[in-house]
Amino acid sequence: MNAIIFSAFFGVVMMFCSWGIKSAGAQKNITLFGLLVLILANLAQMNGWWVIDFDTKGMLAFNRFGLYTNTILFGLTFIYIWINGEEIEKIGNHAADFYALFFFILCGVSVLTSFDNLLMLFIGIEILSIPLYILTGADKKNLLSNEASLKYFLMGSFSTGILLLGITFIYGATGSFHLATPILNTTTGLPREQFLLAGGLILLFAALNFKVSAAPFHFWTPDVYDGAPTVFTSFMATIVKAAAFIAFFIVFESQSKALGYTWNIILPFVIVATLLVGNITAVFQRSVKRMLAYSSIAQAGFMLFALYGKSNFATEGLLLYAVVYSLATIGVFGVLVKMKEYSFDAFNGLAKAHPLLAFTTTIFLCSLAGIPITGGFFAKYYMLNALYVAGAGLWLLITAIIFAAISVYYYFKLIQAMYFTPGVPALQEVSNAYQYKLVFIAILLLVLGILPSVLFNYLYF
Amino acid sequence: MLLSILFIPFIAAIILLFIKDDKRANATAIGFSAIILGVALYIVFTKTATFDIAWLPQLNSRFLLQADGLAKILILLTAISFPAILIATANNQPKQKHIFLSLLMFTQTGLMGVFLAGDALLFYFFWELALIPVYFLCSIWGGEKRIAITFKFFIYTFVGSLFMLIGIILLYSNTTDHSFLIESFKHATLTSSQQMTAFILFFIAFAIKMPIFPLHTWQPDAYEQSPTAVTMVLSAVMVKMGLYGILRWLLPLFPIAAKTASVFIVDLSVIGVLYASFIAIRQDDIKRLIAYSSIAHIGLMSAALFTQNEIGTQGVLAQLFSHGINVLGLWIVADVIEQQTGTRSMKDLGGLAKKQPTLAILLIGFAFANIALPLTNAFVGEFLMFNSLFQFNPWVAAAAGVSIILAAIYTLNMVQKVAYGVVSEKINRMQSPNKNAQAVLIVLLVVVFFTGVYPQPLFNLTADTLQNLFVK
């Protein structure tokens, strides 16, 4: 509860802060301070020090997993703003507005990690999405950004409509919005109600797939990610996506067993389609930004493994994957925003001109590809193990690793451009301080790559 | 002690990143590799040691290092190879030599880890770790077609190791105590079809690394395009990772599946031996010739391993070491010739014996070892290996035996073209001999003949491994 209240509060503070404080640097610092307070408030609830508590009538349930996820996602947002502050200021006229929107998104995130009622899921997704539509169109004078925003808004509203329809069906079948109630049970209940319930769950599944950009509901992703200002793409592809996955996980974690056989047909279909579309299309991209958009679809395919069945591997793996993938993506986008253009050729000769920058980028890409000593390896390992433990067929694991090998192809294309192709990189001025910030992310990824267990130490007690 | 052999090369690699001066970087690298050799000798001559701490408590994975005979012999090979390579190629001048040397040291860390790891996840970790620096070494400093060929090599081995990862997951999930330790894996409860699946998954990874026909296509190109020092590491030490994997993981974990698949794999290996030998005969490039000859030798070792016969395994264990030394010697000779004449083509060479008799004698010495003549170390191993193949199936042994004749043809052909005949223009331009390389070659040749005449130390070293494999 602390997180929801504080994030909304800071959102309002940031909205009005540009009246008094004109300096963009000061606004960024206030935001960072606000985030620290938010993290502390959330930690206070997690450890039972201090909670603003009132009866939510079972709409929200705060458990260790949700609160810990909050802490992690807020921490990631902190790193994101710490690194990208200067770039955010360059877009539009009022940076404070964007910071306010970030806080509202975090409010949506806090709802999505703690809902216990399908209505709250709907509200959380709306709180999360509406600021995103604005952020996508933040670059008002850029036509592509406007197009992306409109596209995202139309398709996003449509998918929310489907979500709502699904929730209605479930309510019609069970008479409750409560998350634990709508469990498909073929032995009891009237056939019509079962039919409604199944239909509702499928609609819910489709709408959530849209939010995490899994195929075949991924069509908005490349255009929106490409059109949005690069800094905001970085935010959308990481923290927002992770939050959507957590919500997806919470809804279907309890359902997967009850859905049984049906689930084992639908989910592998979505997984394979997502991996296929993401990886194969990414191979053919000429623009690094679009490649990263497709790679984020491909990575979503891997994160979907966590939904296959309930296990420790799934819970821990999803968290680890969200953190590692977000860190690496924030890092790669951190380099990308400093490029003058986004083609692969723009990276030629980066290793010679900026060895440190090229090296950190290599670590980010290796992590995305899942190569050992970077966090990405354990993230992929946990996901594969979760899949196996949940009883998936070996063919699915083998398909997954074949696509993982394909992903090496396009990530390493960038490494090849940086290290082995001579040329002059189309890079803007990059300060040393900025490079050290990226090195910090790279170190975090290496730590998670050698000792991923540091992440789980606070998950259970 | 076991931990230090992992950390010394790692620390050396980090230090080397900051030594910009070529000469000093070289001296540092050689100094560190000498220290590693010292530590390795200490490990080899002391009792079996282990190092064990918890690594990932949630997964129940342990940071377990074990040095038994098999690990010891390969650590020794690695520790001998690196200083030999560094000294012999000290005069080569790649750009940014300190980074080159640093990456070589990272590779050594990975290799030591692979040979010592007693935990499957740790093993996988180092298995990949050994590959990544090699990718950068070959792609930055290699020949003209380096980028595409190294990438092929990388993807090939990466896919192989991912298959192994699934195998590890399969075994891990079926262990009773949910652990990655090799002992727990041995007691995993698998159905026979599961055992076969896991066997195939592991085998693909090792077969690509060795490589076994028909998964060998990355190798000759990669050897040819890599910078020489890396080629030496690849063929002297890295291909042993595949054989090591079979000895350490595949045969002990899946004895029944290995028995079932043995005929198939032995046949495949023997086909590979003959195939590679025939191709070697047609080669004009010395590097490619050595590459194909190496595929033939490794194929023979894999065939002997899958006969699952005590004598054959004994031969392979000795040959693991001997093949490394022999092929290293051949590469160094080839490198000296290439550095001084600028060519590797046998057409342009000839008359080395007249111009540089010492080098020619060394070449002939290693050529004999390559054909496995008696008194050389390879004879011991190959004799035992053929013995086991004969017990397995005389026809297979006869087919593999042809490779001895073929080996003599291509090796002696090379000796003839390079060492004898009219002194060619390019050989005539050769300047003073490379003293460092010759010193290394002499030392290696002493090892070749010493272990050829008195192989007992090698057998003693690996006795415990053999006992574990065959005495139940």
Side-chain angles (χ1 to χ4, degrees):
Chain A
M1 189 48 84
N2 285 359
I4 298 176
I5 291 170
F6 273 85
S7 55
F9 170 73
F10 280 112
V12 176
V13 167
M14 290 315 293
M15 255 163 71
F16 293 104
C17 118
S18 56
W19 276 354
I21 299 157
K22 296 288 176 205
S23 146
Q27 289 169 355
K28 177 188 155 192
N29 288 336
I30 295 174
T31 311
L32 290 178
F33 173 74
L35 277 169
L36 273 184
V37 175
L38 187 56
I39 293 172
L40 277 177
N42 190 58
L43 280 176
Q45 182 171 4
M46 196 166 107
N47 296 316
W49 300 328
W50 174 75
V51 187
I52 305 176
D53 198 13
F54 51 82
D55 186 13
T56 57
K57 312 275 181 204
M59 300 284 256
L60 295 168
F62 299 97
N63 57 19
R64 186 89 190 173
F65 175 73
L67 292 171
Y68 187 55
T69 314
N70 274 349
T71 316
I72 286 174
L73 292 180
F74 297 161
L76 285 171
T77 313
F78 184 87
I79 292 175
Y80 164 80
I81 288 177
W82 178 55
I83 285 175
N84 287 314
E86 299 161 26
E87 292 296 321
I88 295 172
E89 288 157 17
K90 287 183 195 156
I91 295 162
N93 302 326
H94 306 290
D97 292 356
F98 300 139
Y99 293 132
L101 291 172
F102 284 135
F103 276 114
F104 289 136
I105 292 176
L106 290 185
C107 184
V109 169
S110 329
V111 175
L112 285 181
T113 53
S114 55
F115 67 94
D116 200 26
N117 184 300
L118 290 175
L119 275 183
M120 288 315 282
L121 166 72
F122 168 70
I123 290 172
I125 282 190
E126 282 300 275
I127 300 178
L128 184 82
S129 302
I130 291 169
L132 277 181
Y133 303 145
I134 306 172
L135 286 181
T136 311
D139 196 358
K140 276 182 268 183
K141 285 170 190 146
N142 184 344
L143 253 167
L144 279 177
S145 172
N146 281 316
E147 184 202 330
S149 178
L150 188 65
K151 226 178 218 173
Y152 193 19
F153 174 64
L154 289 175
M155 295 184 76
S157 339
F158 192 63
S159 88
T160 321
I162 290 177
L163 179 82
L164 215 45
L165 187 62
I167 294 174
T168 318
F169 276 13
I170 293 171
Y171 184 77
T174 63
S176 161
F177 288 120
H178 198 257
L179 198 58
T181 322
I183 283 185
L184 199 59
N185 187 345
T186 38
T187 50
T188 62
L190 299 167
R192 199 181 56 185
E193 285 167 1
Q194 289 302 324
F195 182 72
L196 263 185
L197 187 53
L201 282 173
I202 285 176
L203 289 176
L204 206 60
F205 181 69
L208 286 168
N209 267 324
F210 176 90
K211 293 295 171 197
V212 300
S213 67
F217 310 98
H218 66 280
F219 290 99
W220 60 277
T221 318
D223 289 343
V224 170
Y225 281 16
D226 198 21
T230 310
V231 262
F232 296 145
T233 309
S234 165
F235 191 73
M236 269 190 265
T238 53
I239 292 139
V240 173
K241 191 167 203 158
F245 254 109
I246 299 292
F248 204 163
F249 184 67
I250 293 174
V251 175
F252 281 94
E253 191 195 30
S254 47
Q255 301 294 331
S256 55
K257 210 166 203 157
L259 286 168
Y261 196 61
T262 330
W263 187 241
N264 293 353
I265 294 173
I266 298 177
L267 190 65
F269 170 75
V270 172
I271 288 175
V272 173
T274 309
L275 288 172
L276 183 79
V277 168
N279 285 301
I280 301 293
T281 325
V283 167
F284 297 105
Q285 297 306 312
R286 297 248 172 92
S287 146
V288 176
K289 199 175 171 185
R290 263 190 111 76
M291 181 276 274
L292 286 170
Y294 280 104
S295 104
S296 98
I297 298 178
Q299 302 278 357
F302 256 91
M303 281 157 105
L304 281 172
F305 292 0
L307 297 169
Y308 205 93
K310 206 171 179 176
S311 67
N312 273 352
F313 284 110
T315 321
E316 294 172 2
L318 186 63
L319 266 190
L320 182 65
Y321 209 107
V323 171
V324 164
Y325 162 74
S326 299
L327 282 175
T329 310
I330 290 174
V332 176
F333 273 105
V335 179
L336 197 66
V337 288
K338 295 290 179 188
M339 304 303 289
K340 285 177 193 144
E341 48 145 346
Y342 297 148
S343 68
F344 278 89
D345 292 337
F347 284 82
N348 286 352
L350 189 71
K352 204 153 241 169
H354 293 274
L356 194 62
L357 205 58
F359 180 67
T360 47
T361 314
T362 307
I363 291 183
F364 302 145
L365 292 168
C366 283
S367 183
L368 287 173
I371 287 168
I373 80 156
T374 59
F377 163 68
F378 278 112
K380 285 218 160 71
Y381 174 80
Y382 266 83
M383 284 302 167
L384 288 171
N385 213 335
L387 202 58
Y388 184 81
V389 171
L394 215 54
W395 67 271
L396 196 55
L397 275 89
I398 289 175
T399 316
I401 58 147
I402 286 170
F403 283 119
I406 291 174
S407 78
V408 170
Y409 175 81
Y410 52 82
Y411 292 130
F412 271 55
K413 216 158 81 173
L414 202 55
I415 295 181
Q416 287 172 352
M418 290 191 300
Y419 278 91
F420 316 137
T421 321
V424 182
L427 192 72
Q428 300 167 11
E429 201 61 36
V430 180
S431 67
N432 277 342
Y434 190 76
Q435 291 197 32
Y436 294 138
K437 287 177 186 172
L438 293 178
V439 170
F440 173 72
I441 298 189
I443 290 171
L444 281 183
L445 280 172
L446 290 178
V447 169
L448 286 173
I450 294 165
L451 290 170
S453 34
V454 291
L455 197 66
F456 311 132
N457 286 345
Y458 300 98
L459 184 56
Y460 295 112
F461 51 88
Chain B
M1 260 305 159
L2 287 182
L3 201 59
S4 67
I5 208 162
L6 278 181
F7 271 90
I8 295 172
F10 183 73
I11 291 165
I14 304 246
I15 292 176
L16 277 166
L17 285 177
F18 298 102
I19 303 181
K20 297 254 161 69
D21 181 52
D22 275 8
K23 277 222 170 93
R24 275 169 55 197
N26 230 333
T28 316
I30 293 172
F32 269 108
S33 57
I35 296 174
I36 295 161
L37 179 58
V39 177
L41 284 173
Y42 176 82
I43 290 172
V44 167
F45 288 114
T46 48
K47 272 198 178 147
T48 302
T50 53
F51 176 85
D52 185 13
I53 50 166
W55 180 30
L56 305 168
Q58 279 88 359
L59 287 175
N60 197 11
S61 174
R62 302 193 70 78
F63 196 95
L64 170 65
L65 305 176
Q66 285 173 318
D68 64 345
L70 176 60
K72 280 179 184 169
I73 204 165
L74 284 164
I75 287 173
L76 187 63
L77 176 65
T78 315
I80 291 177
S81 301
F82 272 83
I85 292 166
L86 291 173
I87 295 170
T89 61
N91 294 345
N92 296 8
Q93 294 294 342
K95 280 180 280 175
Q96 293 188 300
K97 190 153 191 186
H98 60 291
I99 296 180
F100 183 85
L101 294 170
S102 168
L103 286 171
L104 273 179
M105 283 296 166
F106 274 123
T107 315
Q108 196 180 5
T109 314
L111 286 167
M112 292 294 188
V114 166
F115 297 142
L116 284 172
D119 176 292
L121 202 59
L122 194 66
F123 173 72
Y124 182 83
F125 212 69
F126 283 117
W127 177 274
E128 291 276 300
L129 216 57
L131 175 67
I132 292 157
V134 170
Y135 170 73
F136 281 96
L137 280 167
C138 297
S139 294
I140 298 178
W141 288 279
E144 267 169 46
K145 289 179 286 177
R146 61 186 189 274
I147 293 174
I149 281 171
T150 314
F151 201 45
K152 179 178 166 189
F153 158 58
F154 183 79
I155 293 273
Y156 237 110
T157 37
F158 188 67
V159 171
S161 38
L162 282 173
F163 276 108
M164 179 166 73
L165 186 64
I166 294 187
I168 291 175
I169 290 175
L170 202 159
L171 275 171
Y172 168 71
S173 307
N174 287 304
T175 48
T176 41
D177 55 346
H178 284 281
S179 141
F180 289 97
L181 296 187
I182 190 162
E183 284 306 317
S184 318
F185 272 26
K186 275 181 195 162
H187 299 118
T189 44
L190 296 173
T191 64
S192 64
S193 75
Q194 270 177 327
Q195 189 174 112
M196 198 64 207
T197 317
F199 174 84
I200 293 169
L201 290 169
F202 273 83
F203 178 72
I204 292 174
F206 300 144
I208 288 175
K209 203 83 178 183
M210 284 198 286
I212 286 182
F213 175 87
L215 299 171
H216 66 281
T217 53
W218 60 270
Q219 199 186 40
D221 291 338
Y223 281 9
E224 190 190 353
Q225 294 295 322
S226 303
T228 317
V230 180
T231 311
M232 292 174 191
V233 174
L234 278 174
S235 64
V237 190
M238 272 196 123
V239 291
K240 306 296 185 301
M241 281 164 66
L243 291 160
Y244 168 85
I246 289 176
L247 273 164
R248 167 76 80 221
W249 298 93
L250 205 63
L251 296 181
L253 295 188
F254 317 110
I256 301 165
K259 269 257 146 52
T260 319
S262 65
V263 175
F264 176 68
I265 294 172
V266 169
D267 289 350
L268 215 57
S269 305
V270 171
I271 292 172
V273 172
L274 293 175
Y275 172 82
S277 303
F278 277 116
I279 295 180
I281 292 175
R282 302 286 305 156
Q283 296 302 317
D284 182 52
D285 184 318
I286 303 181
K287 259 187 147 178
R288 282 189 90 85
L289 188 145
I290 302 174
Y292 277 107
S293 134
S294 180
I295 294 181
H297 284 110
I298 297 287
L300 191 61
M301 284 153 87
S302 119
L305 265 185
F306 278 94
T307 60
Q308 297 199 56
N309 169 309
E310 195 169 347
I311 297 173
T313 312
Q314 176 80 78
V316 172
L317 285 168
Q319 188 72 350
L320 279 177
F321 184 77
S322 305
H323 173 262
I325 300 291
N326 297 347
V327 84
L328 196 58
L330 281 176
W331 284 123
I332 294 175
V333 174
D335 181 51
V336 172
I337 292 174
E338 192 194 349
Q339 290 293 323
Q340 299 209 358
T341 64
T343 180
R344 300 193 300 252
S345 168
M346 289 193 286
K347 280 198 305 254
D348 301 336
L349 299 170
L352 186 71
K354 281 193 192 119
K355 185 75 185 167
Q356 292 222 1
T358 328
L359 194 61
I361 289 171
L362 290 165
L363 169 67
I364 293 164
F366 285 109
F368 283 167
N370 200 41
I371 322 171
L373 279 188
L375 290 187
T376 64
N377 53 0
F379 172 74
V380 182
E382 293 213 348
F383 179 77
L384 295 172
M385 281 162 21
F386 274 113
N387 194 335
S388 75
L389 276 177
F390 192 79
Q391 288 180 19
F392 182 73
N393 183 337
W395 292 105
V396 171
V402 176
S403 78
I404 303 182
I405 303 167
L406 297 174
I409 294 174
Y410 59 73
T411 314
L412 294 179
N413 187 30
M414 176 186 77
V415 170
Q416 200 181 352
K417 281 188 180 158
V418 174
Y420 302 110
V422 188
V423 179
S424 78
E425 200 185 323
K426 289 201 166 142
I427 290 280
N428 207 16
R429 267 189 276 141
M430 274 178 98
Q431 286 141 17
S432 61
N434 180 343
K435 285 265 156 48
N436 293 338
Q438 286 196 358
V440 170
L441 285 171
I442 290 168
V443 173
L444 291 177
L445 204 59
V446 170
V447 176
V448 165
F449 282 106
F450 179 76
T451 47
V453 177
Y454 183 58
Q456 199 55 41
L458 290 180
F459 295 154
N460 289 345
L461 194 58
T462 54
D464 59 342
T465 306
L466 210 59
Q467 199 165 17
N468 284 341
L469 276 171
F470 289 99
V471 181
K472 288 278 145 59

